[in-house]
Amino acid sequence: MNNSTCPITNFLLVTHILYAYLGLLLLLGLLLNGLALWMFCCRLRKWTETHIYMVNLAVADLCLLCTLPFMLFSMNKDNSADTVLCQLSQGIYLTNRYMSISLIMAIAVDRYVAVRHPLCGRGLRSPKQAGAVCAVLWVLVVGSLLLRWVLKDQEGGFCFGNPSRQNPQTVVFSLLGFYLPLAVLVFCSLQVVTALGQRPAADVGQMEATRKAACMVWANLVVFVVCFLPLHVVLTWRLATGLNTCVIQDIVYITGMVSDANCCLDAICYYYMTKEFQEASALAGTPAAKAHRSQDSLCVTVA
């Protein structure tokens, strides 16, 4: 937003709140994602599909977090002219926001295949294939952002918060980059939860582990929706109505900051999600569980 006309950050209280929020987000996000990368890269001996996706997710979240100070600095300036630093930080920020969204979708699809189609999943799921999926996602996301940059550059720039450089073509990329993964995530989550609910429980321990795994699927979906949906609803409204008032710009700013909280919540949610699925799988491998398992029963395997 252009703060010469919409001075949300010119209010001292708002500025203090934003800086406190940003500081907390950076502290927790860098700590949690840095710890996750250290665990995955230095402590794990065997790489699985889930670990590869989560390493890429942690990298994307860390890259996004590192651009937040530049974003806040740019928001407090009248961006009549773009700078290389502003354009670079904007591009990294947007790339890693939608890369995070895409990776969350990929994890959901991987989980769906493992649970709903365990036999086919043996051929579809492997660390190499997970790495290939991540590479394709990086190419697609970066390619779409480069195309956005070309379209923006025709109007003079690609920098934070300047409404004169926001056009419908570039907003469409953001909306497609969110609503398509959202639809896939909702479908896969519902399918996994349904499969877990239909799964025969051999004992109380397995039933409790399965219940926890289902709760983590719901928690992951709720976190994704709460973080990303408000921003994209506002962007959709702005695209549909053509309105770009100060109120709408301020709401985009605030909901965008809310979406950044996903960088911290990803690390927590997926750590516990992996743990609960591993517990459910381990219990499913006991002799009592095997005796109750039929040929088309569901397997919850992450390793």
Side-chain angles (χ1 to χ4, degrees), residues 36-37 40 49 77 96 110 124 128 135 142 146 165 185 188 190 194 202-203 213 228 241 274 281 294 301:
L37 279 180
F40 287 131
E49 301 83 8
K77 300 296 181 180
N96 289 282
D110 181 71
L124 296 175
K128 289 184 179 180
V142 172
L146 288 175
R165 298 189 176 101
L185 180 61
C188 292
L190 292 177
T194 301
D203 51 47
F228 292 116
T241 62
T274 302
S281 297
S294 62
T301 305

Side-chain angles (χ1 to χ4, degrees), residues 8-83:
I8 183 174
T9 55
N10 287 351
F11 293 102
L12 188 60
L13 178 61
V14 174
T15 301
H16 288 331
I17 292 174
L18 290 176
Y19 272 104
Y21 171 78
L22 180 62
L24 180 62
L25 202 64
L26 281 171
L27 178 63
L28 291 177
L30 293 175
L31 178 63
L32 292 172
N33 287 286
L35 180 61
L37 279 180
W38 176 76
M39 288 293 294
F40 287 131
C41 297
C42 300
R43 303 293 293 179
L44 291 180
R45 296 180 179 179
K46 181 181 179 181
W47 284 73
T48 67
E49 301 83 8
T50 303
H51 295 151
I52 291 174
Y53 288 126
M54 293 179 68
V55 165
N56 280 269
L57 184 60
V59 169
D61 287 342
L62 279 172
C63 290
L64 188 150
L65 287 166
C66 290
T67 66
L68 293 185
F70 300 102
M71 182 188 72
L72 191 59
F73 175 79
S74 299
M75 289 291 187
N76 287 315
K77 300 296 181 180
D78 182 7
N79 295 319
S80 56
D82 297 333
T83 64

Side-chain angles (χ1 to χ4, degrees), residues 275-297:
K275 180 180 177 182
E276 299 303 343
F277 269 93
Q278 286 174 334
E279 289 180 359
S281 297
L283 288 171
T286 61
K290 289 180 179 178
H292 289 80
R293 196 183 307 168
S294 62
Q295 182 178 359
D296 57 349
S297 63

